[in-house]
Amino acid sequence: MSLKKLGLAAILSLAALPALAQQTQTVRIGATPGPHAQILEAVKPIAAKKGLDIKIVEFSDYVVPNTALAGGDIEANSFQNQPYLDNQVADRGFKIESVGLTVNFPIGIYSKKHKSLDALPSGATISIPNDPTNGGFKPTPIDVVDNPKKLKFVEIEAAQGPRVLEDVDASIINTNYATSGGLDPVKDPIARENPKGPYVNLIAVRSEDKNKPWVKALVESYHTPEVKQFIEEKFKGSVLTSW
């Protein structure tokens, strides 16, 4: 090949670079630490083939991810269920919508002191997450009308559940925080939520973005056999696929 042809080939290659770069879109996705973030790591290489560069942004609570999404700090989030999203939209006016289901985390009740719910003594102290997605939404412990065992409910940050186990009789702990706290969400709970309940998690985006091509590509990347296999092998029943 002549020098002239080589020069032309180089120019054509350089000219093509901007077009290639434009094909990749960065998508910042908010997630809580643990399974949600780990699953998104498995989604990343699949999404990359569809032109998406996923950046995972971890949040340590359940309040900030929707605020960040509504404010444009991230493009999507993956951490919540539909009842919680509905509650947030009603209370805060967020223009956020679900675009696809992800996984289910049957919540567990854990105890270092008792082997079953029946073994909880009268006056037992039980810690519960203080966010509405787990506390029953509008009701609070003061709304309990029937409490024959006179159980005492202590509201804490969801992430603190594993840390207070030594100080309470039992603690209601989300799967992601149970696993990060060294608990086995399948073997360790003294009771576990029905996995077919309404609390399936989802991917949420701003309403204005829901029909954009990158959203479809993101959901398709998540809903793949490869991701399903990863979830089944990694979490061994503590996290259930819901698509």
Side-chain angles (χ1 to χ4, degrees), residues 7 28 56 90 115 135 166 182 239:
R28 298 164 296 177
I56 302 169
K115 299 294 185 182
E166 298 290 347
V239 180

Side-chain angles (χ1 to χ4, degrees), residues 5-208:
K5 288 183 178 179
L6 278 172
L8 179 60
I11 291 171
L12 290 174
S13 297
L14 288 172
L17 287 177
L20 289 172
Q22 290 173 4
Q23 293 176 4
T24 300
Q25 179 167 352
T26 298
V27 178
R28 298 164 296 177
I29 306 180
T32 44
H36 279 305
Q38 290 171 312
I39 294 169
L40 287 173
E41 288 287 355
V43 174
K44 283 177 71 170
I46 301 169
K49 296 177 182 178
K50 295 179 178 290
L52 302 184
D53 178 19
I54 291 180
K55 304 293 187 185
I56 302 169
V57 182
E58 293 193 7
F59 295 92
S60 60
D61 65 21
Y62 293 131
V63 178
V64 181
N66 280 335
T67 303
L69 177 57
D73 296 320
I74 54 178
E75 282 70 51
N77 64 41
S78 177
F79 79 101
Q80 64 192 320
N81 55 49
Q82 190 66 54
Y84 181 67
L85 175 58
D86 291 342
N87 185 72
Q88 288 266 289
V89 168
D91 282 357
R92 305 190 178 209
F94 292 143
K95 290 180 170 36
I96 297 172
E97 297 183 31
S98 168
V99 291
L101 299 179
T102 56
V103 292
N104 190 14
F105 300 79
I107 200 167
I109 303 177
Y110 299 78
S111 177
K112 294 284 190 182
K113 302 174 181 178
H114 311 288
K115 299 294 185 182
S116 68
L117 285 180
D118 291 338
L120 291 175
S122 294
T125 300
I126 301 176
S127 69
I128 64 173
N130 64 358
D131 57 276
T133 186
N134 300 300
F137 305 98
K138 299 298 184 182
T140 69
I142 64 173
D143 296 302
V144 174
V145 295
D146 186 20
N147 187 4
K149 278 195 169 185
K150 295 181 171 41
L151 301 175
K152 299 173 184 175
F153 298 99
V154 179
E155 294 183 284
I156 62 170
E157 291 289 336
Q160 300 300 315
R163 300 176 191 175
V164 304
L165 267 178
E166 298 290 347
D167 304 317
V168 297
D169 289 283
S171 182
I172 297 176
I173 307 174
N174 299 83
T175 295
N176 55 320
Y177 293 126
T179 54
S180 62
L183 298 168
D184 185 323
V186 176
K187 298 177 182 178
D188 290 341
I190 60 174
R192 198 175 183 217
E193 175 191 3
N194 183 344
K196 295 183 179 180
Y199 302 106
V200 174
N201 288 263
L202 52 87
I203 296 171
V205 302
R206 288 184 294 277
S207 299
E208 65 192 67

